Amino acid sequence: MPSQSQRCHFPALSKLFTPLLGSLAATLLLGCQPSPTAVESNSPDESGFTAASSHTIDANKALLEKLPFSDTQDFEDAKRGFIAKMPKLVVTDKQGKAIWDRTAYDFITGDAPSSVNPSLWRQATLNNIDGLFEVTEGVYQLRGFDLANMTVIAGKTGWIVVDPLTTAETAKTAFEFLKQQLGERPISAILFTHSHMDHFGGALGLLEMNTPDKNSLDGIDIIAPAGFMHEATSENVMAGTAMSRRAMYMYGKQLPRSTRGHIGSGLGKEPAFGQFGILSPTTVIEHDSTQLIDGVPFEFQIVSGSEAPAEFTFYLPEQQAYCGAELVSKNMHNLYTLRGAKVRDALTWSRSIDKALNAQRDTKVYFGSHHWPIWGQEPINHFLTTQRDTYKYIHDQSVRMLNAGLTPAEIAEAIEMPPALANTFSSRGYYGTAKHNAKAVYQAYLGWYDANPVHLDPLPAVESAEKYVALMGGADNIIKQTEIAIAGGEYRWAAELINHLVVADDSNSRAKELLASSYDQLGYQAESAPWRDVYLSAAFELRHGAPKKGIDLASMKQILLRSPVENFMQSMASRVIGPEAFGEEFELNINFTDLDKNYVLTLNNAVLHHKLAPKSASANATLNISHELFVDIIIGAAGASDVIFSDELSIEGSKLDLVSFFSMLDQPKGVFNIVTP
């Protein structure tokens, strides 16, 4: 037990470490308890969402006449091979809290309600078809147990599991259901097709079911693409706090599961939100190659840099089955994701699909990490061709227009998909859209600046809004003009107009309600599920305020334990409050006693640098800490008494200097305002 002189200043430590991690869960922060289904009526529902207007009803009806809704092949494919389903698919954590509730989407039946784009409703209906399915002999899929699919392939000695879902709880539930239907077999291998958490986060749940010892990997081959661990544990760590907050909008975290709320993500329903984990690969696929896994030949294709920075697809020659991972899916994907991320390379993506298409020989069935399979070589080739051409068309046309001087907004407004692609449901914008993907292409080549000097150094939003409000004759006139725009169905213009008043005076309740009402209608008309959720989340927060709490980091412990320590050091540097560090100089050792690693942190010119090096004798202070306690502090699992009396932490040198250093670090809460200043 440390002496009194060795005890740390725990509140400062806690404030230092807690926000470092929001990033690792940014793509999944998405759990929320579903609200009761709202009934369509002409009155606002319990959350304040207004009824669909006549303009919205007309717009949604018009789409029914444009798309081939009479084509039911997707429904036949989504039901094909059905074996069984759980009668009530609700997954709970150890505390009994529901972390996945498929029944919350049971309201999605029949024709589209007036408050949902009918094309998106069709996609949501297809994504409601859940259960255990046989894809082909020896290949099975569990769909509807999480955002993604779990695929299970019969090996010589056991099951080869592909993409074990997002959380331990959903993975265990899905695999247990498989065993109930197909019998007991051990797990012989686990494949992670790519580095997004909905495809690896449940791995530890499978391990618990497969062996008496939860940490035993005996006999299980863990297979992943090159770069998997780095990308999976460090993706977006720097901007994670902001991404997590934005993800609340993209996935409708606060919305009711209802006809006026969240109905799905387009890619699936929503990610589960339980205990996340990861396993280090025992076999790394570095290039296109053939591997024998538990007696089953796999032909791998590396497609990293397309949908994910580390990803492979594979072909099963004996089954004549092609797994497209998330390289392709039954919707247009994101070149830019609305939660925020680096843009994806449209050309690399398209070329990877083209390579897969050219490699097709006698494929009889396609299956992927999301959605439902496709049978028959001709339909598969058509699917791959339209997916390939969707991304390349957006790329090529965006480049053509940017070279003609069009701005991102102008390109987004002008881009028009060819009829052959526009009338293909699997190329529709249920997740990504042509509009925001076109802007992503512009950003990839030219960045944020559109070359118009007025956008080089514009006034801050609040100052600009105040001047616009004054110029337009004050609040009453803006409200009047907005009401006219809404009555005419000009919801984009109404939102742009009234937003000036909301930003200038966020206490104006009428202005906020008009903006929310505009967003209601834009959400109801949106074919993209993320666009719908963004609009409706904005409307919800205008009426009810921003959330009070961000992500619970305790669910991330297993991921954090396997994350490079360097990620946390760099994240710490990005939290230095520049002006408060002007003129300050500081040196700190952070010594991880169980890893036998010491990091020397130096602050100068308000810039924090770190390096892996022996303890510096000139350091103001040294923090000796175990890696696991460090993680427990980050996630809030270690209380003050745990730290103060722990043998795993001690401080050498000046505690006052240490506290002073901590005070220069920002403490983002991750629940900042978005639609109001």
Side-chain angles (χ1 to χ4, degrees), residues 9-197:
H9 188 279
F10 175 73
L13 278 178
S14 177
K15 290 177 180 178
L16 164 63
F17 293 133
T18 298
L20 294 181
L21 232 219
S23 54
L24 288 173
T27 57
L28 306 180
L29 187 136
L30 326 183
C32 92
Q33 296 305 305
S35 301
T37 299
V39 178
E40 288 288 287
S41 72
N42 291 325
S43 302
D45 67 8
E46 293 179 358
S47 297
F49 294 111
T50 56
S53 70
S54 60
H55 300 287
T56 291
I57 293 171
D58 289 344
N60 286 341
K61 281 183 178 178
L63 190 61
L64 285 170
E65 300 175 3
K66 293 177 62 176
L67 297 177
F69 284 92
S70 60
D71 183 352
T72 61
Q73 186 62 52
D74 281 335
F75 288 91
E76 295 173 22
D77 287 344
K79 296 174 182 177
R80 182 169 171 174
F82 175 76
I83 296 173
K85 66 178 291 180
M86 291 185 66
K88 186 179 180 181
L89 181 44
V90 179
V91 181
T92 58
D93 61 16
K94 293 179 180 179
Q95 289 71 45
K97 177 184 176 183
I99 59 103
W100 175 258
D101 187 354
R102 165 58 188 78
T103 67
Y105 297 94
D106 285 348
F107 67 89
I108 301 175
T109 59
D111 294 336
S114 57
S115 56
V116 183
N117 179 294
S119 182
L120 179 58
W121 184 261
R122 177 186 183 276
Q123 184 80 349
T125 303
L126 284 160
N127 283 331
N128 260 23
I129 299 172
D130 63 309
L132 172 64
F133 300 82
E134 183 180 38
V135 176
T136 190
E137 185 176 357
V139 180
Y140 304 89
Q141 278 196 324
L142 292 137
R143 303 201 289 270
F145 288 78
D146 205 320
L147 176 66
N149 301 330
M150 179 191 292
T151 301
V152 183
I153 301 166
K156 183 177 180 180
T157 65
W159 293 117
I160 302 167
V161 179
V162 181
D163 289 351
L165 306 183
T166 309
T167 71
E169 296 90 341
T170 52
K172 287 169 64 176
T173 299
F175 195 72
E176 180 62 38
F177 186 66
L178 173 90
K179 293 196 301 181
Q180 290 172 9
Q181 301 302 318
L182 302 181
E184 289 275 355
R185 294 190 86 200
I187 296 172
S188 56
I190 299 174
L191 275 67
F192 303 138
T193 62
H194 58 293
S195 52
H196 293 154
M197 203 183 304

Side-chain angles (χ1 to χ4, degrees), residues 191 221 223-226 283-293 296-304 311-317 321-323 355 359 361:
L191 275 67
D221 197 6
I223 302 163
T283 299
V284 174
I285 306 300
E286 297 185 355
H287 49 77
D288 295 1
S289 60
T290 299
Q291 302 280 332
L292 191 67
I293 303 172
V296 179
F298 282 69
E299 297 178 3
F300 288 100
Q301 177 193 346
I302 295 296
V303 296
S304 300
E311 185 165 2
F312 60 51
T313 64
F314 60 83
Y315 178 68
L316 302 173
Y322 170 65
C323 173
K355 184 178 179 181
R361 298 183 299 278

Side-chain angles (χ1 to χ4, degrees), residues 5-6 588-589 591 615-616 619-624 650-655 658:
S5 63
Q6 291 175 308
L588 169 68
N589 293 315
N591 179 39
K615 288 184 180 180
S616 170
N620 300 68
T622 296
L623 177 64
N624 300 301
S650 65
I651 295 174
E652 303 169 16
S654 172
K655 298 176 182 62
L658 192 61

Side-chain angles (χ1 to χ4, degrees), residues 443-456:
Q443 180 179 331
Y445 284 102
L446 298 180
W448 63 269
Y449 181 47
D450 67 1
N452 187 335
V454 75
H455 299 138
L456 186 60

Side-chain angles (χ1 to χ4, degrees), residues 171-364:
K172 287 169 64 176
T173 299
F175 195 72
E176 180 62 38
F177 186 66
L178 173 90
K179 293 196 301 181
Q180 290 172 9
Q181 301 302 318
L182 302 181
E184 289 275 355
R185 294 190 86 200
I187 296 172
S188 56
I190 299 174
L191 275 67
F192 303 138
T193 62
H194 58 293
S195 52
H196 293 154
M197 203 183 304
D198 51 325
H199 304 276
F200 67 80
L204 294 180
L206 295 183
L207 220 58
E208 289 185 29
M209 299 187 66
N210 196 54
T211 62
D213 180 355
K214 296 180 182 180
N215 296 315
S216 176
L217 286 171
D218 290 346
I220 301 178
D221 197 6
I222 310 299
I223 302 163
F228 169 80
M229 282 301 289
H230 170 74
E231 300 296 345
T233 58
S234 63
E235 184 191 32
N236 311 317
V237 66
M238 296 305 298
T241 301
M243 292 170 66
S244 296
R245 173 69 174 113
R246 290 163 59 119
M248 293 183 183
Y249 271 53
M250 180 175 171
Y251 292 100
K253 183 179 188 295
Q254 297 190 90
L255 298 178
R257 275 49 184 155
S258 72
T259 57
R260 294 188 190 175
H262 173 84
I263 66 166
S265 69
L267 201 61
K269 306 317 295 182
E270 61 179 304
F273 193 71
Q275 291 297 313
F276 309 119
I278 195 170
L279 294 171
S280 297
T282 56
T283 299
V284 174
I285 306 300
E286 297 185 355
H287 49 77
D288 295 1
S289 60
T290 299
Q291 302 280 332
L292 191 67
I293 303 172
D294 192 16
V296 179
F298 282 69
E299 297 178 3
F300 288 100
Q301 177 193 346
I302 295 296
V303 296
S304 300
S306 54
E307 187 272 337
E311 185 165 2
F312 60 51
T313 64
F314 60 83
Y315 178 68
L316 302 173
E318 291 184 349
Q319 294 84 356
Q320 295 176 273
Y322 170 65
C323 173
E326 207 166 330
L327 175 68
V328 289
S329 53
K330 300 288 279 188
N331 54 215
M332 184 191 299
H333 216 297
N334 288 305
L335 297 180
Y336 168 80
T337 176
L338 300 185
R339 65 177 167 82
K342 297 177 182 178
V343 298
R344 295 160 181 169
D345 188 330
L347 273 185
T348 295
W349 201 330
S350 178
R351 287 168 180 164
S352 294
I353 300 173
D354 186 61
K355 184 178 179 181
L357 178 63
N358 291 330
Q360 299 299 308
R361 298 183 299 278
D362 50 2
T363 304
K364 291 184 177 179

